[in-house]
């Protein structure tokens, strides 16, 4: 394939219908020859039950590779990855193939034998696709992103790519903090991808010449809108600026096509179209678009009606063990409990539900197509689904006598002890899970975790009574305002639970996972510093010294991995050169114990002239421009700041979900959120959901009148 300069026009092939006979050469023979030399060779062979393999001789299909920057076992357990894979393959004018990060042994062989990064369905080189996209779940996968790009043979730097190279995109949770890899990704898609990804791929197909502009307009008509900067729900299901798509679309340069995407597609962030300036302190002075047609803030895409949203019922059956080998059904999206450390609970709003009848139909179809005997009902907080136990009754009746069990993650402790016993015979009992994050009553007020000490004690007593043998306990150290007394209170709680078990003669193991607090973007704690290694080590040793029972098993997350997570989740685009240098020095699988090497990152940062303390341990001021301020996830920045101040005041903020009292005006449009709707049934269309007034929570006016008090409190607690 010839290479043209980035400023040259695309070849005529992009403006005409591609020849049907142009099909890449499969790399499978080369992979098969080395398969037995690597661990878990089945993760590279493909061909699983229910995988999709479209014919490439049809040159009219847009060709997309969906890449997961971690192992096959992790990627194939990810719900978003599964949804997008099957969604794209169900479209008649596009195809999707999967790619995963090769493990160390496979990468060594690929480099030795010059085997490029490949897809799993046909084993074609990723460079043969029109685009490939990364599903980003956490920041520690960034070097794997670069490794897949590097192994594909296309330039690492986005600015060096030509029209003949695939467009590189990224989405998922990690897309809300894109700047450390802004130099390597052409486009980031913010929010949920079910509606926007097919729109992008059709636009890409018209640019590549796989469909005409007239065909594009016809197929995109349901998504047409007049202004992508308005709320996405103003024009169902979202607004695409069709009026800005030019008739000469196939003739656009690569940079012009990227600008077009950022202009017409909601939730589309193109880093190359934004200018970042820094002041003499090294903090961001300004972050502005380079063109007047590019939005100053990119608003995330979101699915308006989860009940009607696409969900695959014919899911792939992996040949090897994955993290979650079971039927998984997303029953609810979004969470409004308002935990101040939780990024997912902030960025996934508004809260939307699937109805029990819809879940039952989906469960029956997936069990029939996969043969799994366990159904997991997934959400961030299943307790907030107002029809949860009606749903469980329907599923129990549907699978009666079929030996199909249910698992219910994400139940609050008080809901588990009140409701779970009544359905426990149908629920897989892997252990009672408690996630109070801390045993300190005071600190739970700081983080807005509305669980009392008595809830936790009652939960443990229920576990003894119902015959559980394991209690899982999740907590964090290093939370804002934490002190030694908070650690002592956590130890006292654990010892109390262990003592009660011993008194009853119950042989219970208490598995305690202790993570390190990492401040995250778009949370009330985004301005906080991470605790230093010395502080965290002191608290770790203190907690260990206070544990009195052998039944309590403590497992601490490593400081190094959390240090890197904090660095990358708070970083600006200057960190890109350190990420690239770390990759060049061998950084891979940084979330894995056998992968992370602190010395590599120390060297990469030093060579890049960057101080990690600046990013990790420095508190931010209220008026500082944050590296993600050009993005909008719905919740406004002032609300997040007010919640930070309330954390210092040790005030709870009420959960505003659909079955608790009303809206608290967090910034998410209440007309699209169940908090403003009396009835949670998701059959309502977006138009039906709109009301003449929003049902606000009783304390709403009181909180609005708290402004002066919050300003005074911020000064009192010396919050910048």
């Amino acid at each position: 394939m010839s290479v043209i300069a980035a400023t040259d026009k695309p070849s005529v092939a992009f403006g005409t219908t591609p020849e049907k006979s142009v099909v890449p050469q499969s790399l499978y023979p080369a992979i098969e020859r080395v398969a037995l030399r690597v661990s878990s060779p089945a993760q590279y062979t493909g061909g699983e039950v229910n995988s999709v393999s479209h014919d490439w001789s049809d040159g009219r299909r847009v060709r997309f590779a969906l890449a997961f920057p971690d192992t096959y076992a992790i990627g194939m357990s990810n719900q978003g990855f599964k949804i997008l894979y099957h969604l794209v393959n169900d479209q008649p004018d596009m195809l999707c193939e999967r790619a995963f990060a090769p493990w160390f042994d496979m990468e060594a062989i690929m480099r030795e034998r010059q085997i490029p990064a490949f897809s799993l369905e046909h084993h074609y080189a990723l460079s043969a696709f029109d685009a490939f996209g990364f599903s980003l779940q956490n920041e520690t996968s960034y070097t794997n992103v670069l490794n897949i790009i590097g192994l594909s043979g296309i330039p690492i730097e986005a600015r060096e790519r030509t029209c003949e190279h695939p467009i590189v995109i990224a989405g998922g949770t990690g897309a809300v903090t894109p700047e450390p890899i802004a130099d390597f990704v052409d486009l980031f898609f913010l929010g949920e991808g079910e509606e926007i990804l097919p729109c992008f791929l059709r636009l890409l197909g018209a640019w590549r010449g796989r469909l005409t502009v007239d065909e594009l307009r016809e197929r995109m008509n349901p998504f047409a809108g007049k202004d992508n900067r308005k709320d996405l729900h103003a024009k169902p299901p979202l607004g695409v600026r069709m009026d800005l798509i030019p008739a000469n679309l196939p003739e656009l340069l690569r940079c012009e096509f990227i600008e077009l995407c950022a202009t017409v597609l909601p939730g589309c962030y193109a880093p190359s179209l934004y200018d970042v300036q820094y002041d003499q302190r090294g903090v961001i002075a300004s972050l502005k678009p380079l063109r007047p047609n590019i939005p100053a803030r990119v608003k995330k895409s979101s699915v308006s009606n989860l009940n009607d949203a696409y969900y695959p019922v014919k899911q792939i059956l992996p040949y090897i063990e994955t993290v979650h080998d079971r039927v998984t059904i997303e029953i609810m999206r979004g969470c409004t409990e308002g935990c101040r450390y939780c990024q997912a609970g902030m960025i996934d709003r508004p809260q939307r539900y699937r109805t029990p009848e819809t879940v039952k139909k989906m469960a029956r179809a997936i069990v029939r197509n996969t043969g799994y005997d366990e159904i997991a009902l997934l959400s961030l907080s299943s307790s907030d689904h107002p029809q949860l136990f009606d749903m469980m009754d329907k599923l129990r009746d549907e699978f009666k006598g079929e030996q199909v069990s249910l698992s219910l993650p994400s139940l609050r402790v008080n809901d588990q002890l009140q409701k779970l016993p009544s359905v426990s015979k149908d629920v897989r009992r892997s252990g009672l899970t408690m996630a109070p994050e801390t045993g300190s009553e005071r600190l739970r007020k700081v983080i807005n975790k509305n669980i009392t000490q008595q809830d936790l004690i009652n939960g443990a007593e229920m576990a003894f009574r119902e015959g559980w043998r394991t209690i899982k306990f999740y907590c964090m150290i290093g939370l804002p305002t934490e002190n030694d007394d908070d650690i002592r209170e956590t130890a006292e709680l654990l010892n109390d639970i262990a003592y009660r078990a011993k008194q009853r003669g119950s042989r219970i193991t208490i598995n305690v996972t202790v993570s390190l607090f990492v401040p995250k973007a778009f949370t009330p704690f985004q301005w906080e510093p991470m605790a230093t290694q010395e502080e965290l080590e002191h608290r770790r040793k203190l907690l260990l010294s206070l544990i009195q029972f052998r039944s309590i098993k403590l497992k601490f997350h490593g400081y190094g991995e959390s240090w890197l997570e904090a660095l990358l989740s708070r970083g600006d685009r200057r960190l890109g050169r350190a990420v690239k240098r770390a990759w060049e020095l061998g950084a891979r699988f940084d979330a894995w114990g056998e992968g992370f090497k602190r010395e590599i990152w120390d060297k990469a940062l030093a060579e890049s002239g960057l101080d990690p303390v600046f990013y990790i341990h420095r508190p931010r001021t209220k008026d500082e421009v944050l590296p993600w301020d050009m993005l909008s996830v719905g919740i406004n920045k002032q609300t997040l700041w007010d919640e930070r101040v309330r954390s210092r005041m040790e005030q709870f903020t009420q959960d505003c979900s659909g079955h608790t009292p009303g809206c608290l005006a967090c910034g998410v449009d209440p007309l699209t959120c169940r908090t403003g709707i009396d009835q949670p049934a998701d059959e309502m269309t977006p138009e039906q959901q709109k009301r003449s007034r929003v049902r606000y929570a009783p304390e709403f006016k009181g909180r609005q009148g708290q402004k002066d008090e919050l300003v005074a409190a911020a000064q009192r607690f010396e919050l910048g």
Side-chain angles (χ1 to χ4, degrees):
M1 180 180 291
S2 62
V3 178
I4 60 177
T7 55
D8 289 344
K9 289 183 178 292
S11 64
V12 68
F14 291 132
T16 59
T17 302
E19 296 181 15
K20 292 186 177 182
S21 60
V22 178
V23 176
Q25 182 179 0
S26 175
L27 298 168
Y28 187 76
I31 296 165
E32 186 179 33
R33 283 193 291 271
V34 302
L36 296 181
R37 293 173 52 190
V38 300
S39 57
S40 300
Q43 65 183 309
Y44 307 111
T45 57
E48 309 99 318
V49 174
N50 294 335
S51 62
V52 184
S53 184
H54 286 298
D55 184 3
W56 275 55
S57 64
D58 180 3
R60 302 281 292 173
R61 286 185 183 269
V62 183
R63 301 163 177 179
F64 179 61
L66 183 61
F68 196 87
D70 210 313
T71 64
Y72 175 96
I74 301 293
M76 287 305 299
S77 299
N78 183 269
Q79 281 303 290
F81 190 82
K82 292 179 183 178
I83 290 171
L84 295 180
Y85 171 78
H86 289 285
L87 168 69
V88 174
N89 276 316
D90 279 356
Q91 310 302 310
D93 52 355
M94 55 189 73
L95 62 83
C96 179
E97 302 195 6
R98 295 163 295 151
F100 300 92
W103 194 245
F104 296 101
D105 52 2
M106 185 61 173
E107 182 193 342
I109 291 175
M110 290 170 67
R111 293 191 180 279
E112 172 193 333
R113 304 217 171 185
Q114 297 186 324
I115 301 173
F118 55 86
S119 67
L120 220 55
E121 278 65 22
H122 281 102
H123 298 90
Y124 293 153
L126 295 189
S127 58
F129 288 80
D130 296 316
F132 58 86
F134 292 97
S135 179
L136 301 176
Q137 302 307 309
N138 59 73
E139 299 83 3
T140 51
S141 66
Y142 287 168
T143 53
N144 280 2
V145 169
L146 266 64
N147 200 38
I148 293 174
I149 295 174
L151 286 169
S152 73
I154 75 170
I156 293 291
E157 304 269 354
R159 58 187 173 81
E160 296 176 358
R161 296 173 197 147
T162 71
C163 289
E164 294 193 0
H165 293 125
I167 299 294
V168 178
I169 68 172
T173 304
V176 300
T177 49
E179 292 301 271
I181 52 172
D183 292 337
F184 318 112
V185 175
D186 295 308
L187 298 169
F188 289 90
F189 286 91
L190 189 66
E192 298 160 359
E194 290 99 320
E195 293 171 346
I196 197 60
L197 181 59
C199 291
F200 162 72
L201 291 177
R202 289 194 172 98
L203 190 63
L204 174 67
W207 182 58
R208 293 297 200 197
R210 300 196 184 281
L211 67 158
T212 67
V213 174
D214 287 340
E215 289 172 327
L216 171 69
R217 294 183 187 281
E218 179 182 349
R219 296 174 193 180
M220 297 270 272
N221 187 58
F223 302 95
K226 292 184 178 180
D227 189 347
N228 71 315
R229 283 161 287 195
K230 290 183 179 179
D231 187 85
L232 297 182
H233 302 280
K235 293 281 184 179
L238 48 78
V240 175
R241 297 290 305 275
M242 295 298 297
D243 56 311
L244 298 182
I245 297 177
N248 67 335
L249 172 59
E251 300 175 10
L252 297 184
L253 306 177
R254 183 188 182 94
C255 60
E256 292 171 332
F257 174 72
I258 288 172
E259 182 175 345
L260 179 68
C261 290
T263 304
V264 306
L265 297 176
C268 182
Y269 169 59
S272 61
L273 297 173
Y274 290 77
D275 176 62
V276 185
Q277 296 293 324
Y278 305 90
D279 66 18
Q280 59 185 6
R281 300 169 297 163
V283 302
I284 298 175
S286 64
L287 205 168
K288 299 177 180 178
L290 292 169
R291 307 277 191 278
N293 56 321
I294 301 300
R297 296 193 76 200
V298 178
K299 183 176 181 181
K300 74 169 186 179
S301 300
S302 60
V303 172
S304 59
N305 191 327
L306 190 63
N307 215 50
D308 291 339
Y310 178 89
Y311 202 81
V313 296
K314 197 172 183 180
Q315 298 179 8
I316 294 175
L317 278 171
Y319 285 144
I320 65 172
E321 183 178 359
T322 59
V323 176
H324 300 303
D325 275 328
R326 60 193 181 189
V327 173
T328 52
I329 298 176
E330 185 184 28
I331 63 172
M332 187 180 78
R333 191 172 293 180
C335 176
T336 54
E337 288 191 32
C339 299
R340 293 176 178 131
Y341 60 86
C342 181
Q343 185 183 70
M346 299 294 170
I347 68 175
D348 287 343
R349 300 183 186 193
Q351 195 171 59
R352 293 141 292 164
Y353 312 112
R354 280 194 168 96
T355 57
E357 191 62 33
T358 297
V359 172
K360 185 184 78 170
K361 291 177 182 177
M362 291 168 58
R364 169 53 66 192
I366 299 174
V367 168
R368 183 175 59 247
N369 290 325
T370 63
Y372 281 126
D373 62 357
E374 181 185 359
I375 300 170
L377 304 180
L378 299 184
S379 68
L380 287 173
S381 178
S382 299
S383 301
D384 289 335
H385 196 301
Q387 299 164 298
L388 175 64
F389 288 90
D390 178 35
M391 180 186 303
M392 291 192 65
D393 288 340
K394 282 182 165 55
L395 290 170
R396 185 172 54 214
D397 293 342
E398 178 71 16
F399 294 100
K400 188 175 183 179
E402 297 185 34
Q403 303 299 312
V404 175
S405 66
L406 301 177
S407 64
L408 269 176
S410 305
L411 277 180
R412 284 192 293 259
V413 170
N414 51 345
D415 286 299
Q416 292 182 74
L417 64 95
Q418 291 173 16
K419 303 171 184 175
L420 206 51
S422 65
V423 294
S424 61
K425 64 180 182 295
D426 299 298
V427 176
R428 179 160 293 182
R429 291 201 248 179
S430 58
L432 181 74
T433 299
M434 298 185 182
E437 311 308 337
T438 174
S440 164
E441 289 273 16
R442 183 197 71 81
L443 206 49
R444 284 199 294 275
K445 293 177 183 178
V446 171
I447 66 175
N448 204 49
K449 194 79 173 182
N450 198 0
I451 299 174
T452 68
Q453 214 77 343
Q454 195 58 49
D455 285 336
L456 298 170
I457 297 297
N458 290 346
E461 295 281 4
M462 184 272 288
F464 309 151
R465 188 170 58 250
E466 294 296 322
W468 265 279
R469 291 290 175 261
T470 303
I471 295 178
K472 300 176 183 177
F473 198 102
Y474 291 99
C475 67
M476 282 190 281
I477 57 175
L479 288 161
T481 78
E482 182 182 75
N483 57 47
D484 287 358
D485 288 339
D486 298 313
I487 300 297
R488 292 188 183 96
E489 196 169 346
T490 296
E492 288 171 6
L493 175 65
L494 294 172
N495 288 330
D496 187 16
I497 292 173
Y499 175 76
R500 289 169 184 263
K502 186 175 181 180
Q503 289 294 102
R504 293 178 60 102
S506 300
R507 301 182 64 180
I508 279 189
T509 299
I510 304 171
N511 292 325
V512 185
T513 299
V514 185
S515 60
L516 310 184
F517 167 69
V518 174
K520 291 287 188 173
F522 298 109
T523 71
F525 291 155
Q526 65 181 353
W527 292 275
E528 303 285 352
M530 181 181 175
T532 65
Q533 185 172 7
E534 292 73 21
E535 292 171 325
L536 293 168
E537 182 63 15
H538 165 73
R539 290 168 191 169
R540 184 186 72 84
K541 289 180 178 178
L542 178 60
L543 183 58
L544 277 170
S545 70
L546 294 170
I547 296 301
Q548 299 172 358
F549 294 86
R550 292 183 179 179
S551 59
I552 302 172
K553 312 294 183 184
L554 294 177
K555 180 182 179 182
F556 291 87
H557 284 197
Y559 173 77
E561 292 88 334
S562 298
W563 172 89
L564 181 61
E565 183 183 348
L567 174 72
L568 297 175
S569 64
R570 316 293 298 287
D572 52 54
R573 65 176 58 181
R574 290 173 296 187
L575 271 178
R577 57 183 183 261
V579 174
K580 182 180 180 182
R581 185 60 184 138
W583 166 70
E584 292 171 343
L585 292 170
R588 311 280 192 275
F589 292 99
D590 290 303
W592 295 69
E594 56 265 66
F596 176 72
K597 293 181 175 59
R598 172 70 182 270
E599 62 273 14
I600 287 180
W601 283 96
D602 286 338
K603 183 176 182 180
L605 288 163
E607 291 183 8
S608 303
L610 298 171
D611 180 6
V613 173
F614 175 84
Y615 294 105
I616 299 172
H617 302 303
R618 178 180 63 87
R620 276 61 167 170
T621 60
K622 182 183 180 181
D623 59 353
E624 181 172 331
V625 179
L626 302 175
W628 45 87
D629 275 352
M630 69 293 185
L631 307 178
S632 171
V633 299
I635 295 184
N636 62 58
K637 197 173 180 180
Q638 184 62 48
T639 295
L640 296 176
W641 176 263
D642 289 347
E643 282 299 295
R644 186 193 184 200
V645 178
R646 289 191 180 97
S647 76
R648 295 302 198 275
M649 299 168 71
E650 298 177 8
Q651 290 185 356
F652 278 124
T653 292
Q654 173 124 357
D655 174 9
C656 59
S657 60
H659 65 295
T660 52
C663 180
L664 290 172
C666 69
V668 173
D669 182 356
L671 297 178
T672 69
C673 187
R674 290 297 172 271
T675 62
I677 305 298
D678 289 321
Q679 299 299 323
D682 223 344
E683 284 87 352
M684 293 183 290
T685 66
E687 288 300 318
Q688 291 172 326
Q689 292 166 13
K690 294 191 174 183
R691 301 157 51 108
S692 59
R693 63 184 178 86
V694 175
R695 181 169 57 92
Y696 289 105
E699 64 267 37
F700 170 71
K701 288 185 178 179
R703 290 169 64 87
Q704 291 296 97
Q706 202 181 10
K707 292 180 180 178
D708 292 342
E709 182 184 358
L710 292 174
V711 171
Q715 294 174 346
R716 184 168 73 253
F717 292 109
E718 298 182 346
L719 302 179

